[in-house]
Each structure stands twice: as structure tokens, then as C-alpha cells.
Amino acid sequence: MGTFDATDSLLANLELKADYSLSSLTNSSLENGTISLGHGQLTTKNTNLKSVTIQSLSPGGVEAEETSLENVTFTVTSEQESEETNDNGAIFTAHALTLKGTNTISGGGGDVAVDITLTDPKTTDYKAKTEDGKISLGPLLTPAKIDKGTTSDNITYTANTEKATGSLTVELNKGDIILK
């Protein structure tokens, strides 16, 4: 259960299983990869991720700083066992995030906290939905269309812009979404 640290690296076709460890990518690029974090955490700084699938259990997650995502999927799943845990929830936190292509963050069981600050919010199509939580949208984002679900209390915010260079879909069963 060691750590994985890559600095000033060009990585391709990476398969990483981190379980409980901390992994980091700094000043690096990863194209085509699968990262299974388990309860571990991935930290990125000044890094490009392209065509990468990231899976996490709760707690666990991603912290990204000055990172670019292109066609990246981040999924949080719950463990098979139904035993009680001190679950602090999973996270996806990103500051100065650049989006290209289609990017998805989804959370099944357990609490997921999503907090994202985009480098250029006006060029991002987005969809934000949580069934049990709050959604906060920053003033620089393209105004959203609001769709109130008919079968539950969930509300979906969707925005499309003609200038979009990337899209982000965040769909959570439980958890708060901050997008700015």
C-alpha cells in the first residue's frame, strides 16, 4: 500500500490501483488510464488528464489544482458490505479546472462533496443534479435551466452555451455540489 508520485511525467495507458494510499501527479500528463483509488486520494497540480476513468470508494477522492480534464469520468461507489462506518464521504475538489470534451462526476451510495472552480466558466456546458443535497452555482456560469423532478425532491440545473469547449455532468445520489 505504497504511494504513487509522478512529477514532470508523460504517462500513457496507466492502470493504477491505490486502495488506501495517497497518489499524486505534478506537472504531468496522463492519457488513457484507469485509476482505482479505493479509499485513497489522488492529488493533481498543473496536470492534464485525457481519457481517464477514476473510481473511488467513500471516503476517498480527488483534489485538483490547475488541472485540465478531457473526457474524464470520476465515479464514487459504495462498498458491498452494509456495515456502519465513520464515513466522511468522498470528495472531488478542483481549483483552476479547465474542461475539454465530455467529463462526468457521479456518486452512488455515500455522501459526495463536489467543489469546482473553473478557469473559464462561460465556455462550459454543465448539468448538476443531486437527490439529497444542495447545489450552489457561481455568478460567472452561463445561467441554468431548472428542472424539478416529478418523482422526488431532486432539482437539475442544466446550461448550454454556443461557445462550449467542454462539458461537465455532476449527478449525485447524496451530496452537495458547488460549481463556479
Side-chain angles (χ1 to χ4, degrees):
M1 304 234 184
T3 62
F4 175 81
D5 295 308
T7 302
D8 299 323
S9 301
L10 296 174
L11 305 168
N13 304 314
L14 175 73
E15 185 170 333
L16 174 65
K17 185 169 180 156
D19 289 331
Y20 289 91
S21 67
L22 301 176
S23 303
S24 70
L25 296 169
T26 305
N27 301 324
S28 296
S29 178
L30 169 58
E31 186 168 347
N32 298 320
T34 301
I35 300 172
S36 298
L37 293 173
H39 294 287
Q41 185 166 326
L42 173 65
T43 302
T44 66
K45 182 168 176 84
N46 194 27
T47 294
N48 298 318
L49 301 177
K50 182 177 180 181
S51 301
V52 176
T53 299
I54 304 169
Q55 300 161 335
S56 177
L57 294 172
S58 183
V62 173
E63 286 189 29
E65 185 86 28
E66 299 172 4
T67 294
S68 173
L69 303 182
E70 183 173 352
N71 302 323
V72 172
T73 301
F74 174 72
T75 305
V76 177
T77 56
S78 58
E79 292 193 80
Q80 300 298 334
E81 305 146 12
S82 60
E83 64 186 54
E84 300 246 344
T85 61
N86 288 337
D87 190 352
N88 292 331
I91 62 163
F92 189 100
T93 303
H95 300 288
L97 184 69
T98 302
L99 297 174
K100 298 175 186 170
T102 303
N103 301 281
T104 306
I105 298 171
S106 60
D111 198 6
V112 182
V114 176
D115 186 347
I116 296 174
T117 304
L118 300 167
T119 54
D120 193 357
K122 290 290 184 195
T123 62
T124 302
D125 288 348
Y126 65 90
K127 177 180 180 181
K129 175 183 175 183
T130 182
E131 293 183 22
D132 183 9
K134 293 180 274 190
I135 298 174
S136 174
L137 302 175
L140 297 179
L141 289 167
T142 301
K145 182 182 120 208
I146 300 170
D147 178 27
K148 295 185 178 190
T150 55
T151 58
S152 66
D153 293 335
N154 69 47
I155 297 175
T156 303
Y157 295 86
T158 306
N160 296 304
T161 175
E162 292 178 19
K163 298 181 278 183
T165 56
S167 71
L168 175 65
T169 299
V170 182
E171 293 186 321
L172 307 178
N173 288 348
K174 181 179 180 186
D176 295 339
I177 301 168
I178 299 171
L179 187 57
K180 51 190 180 275

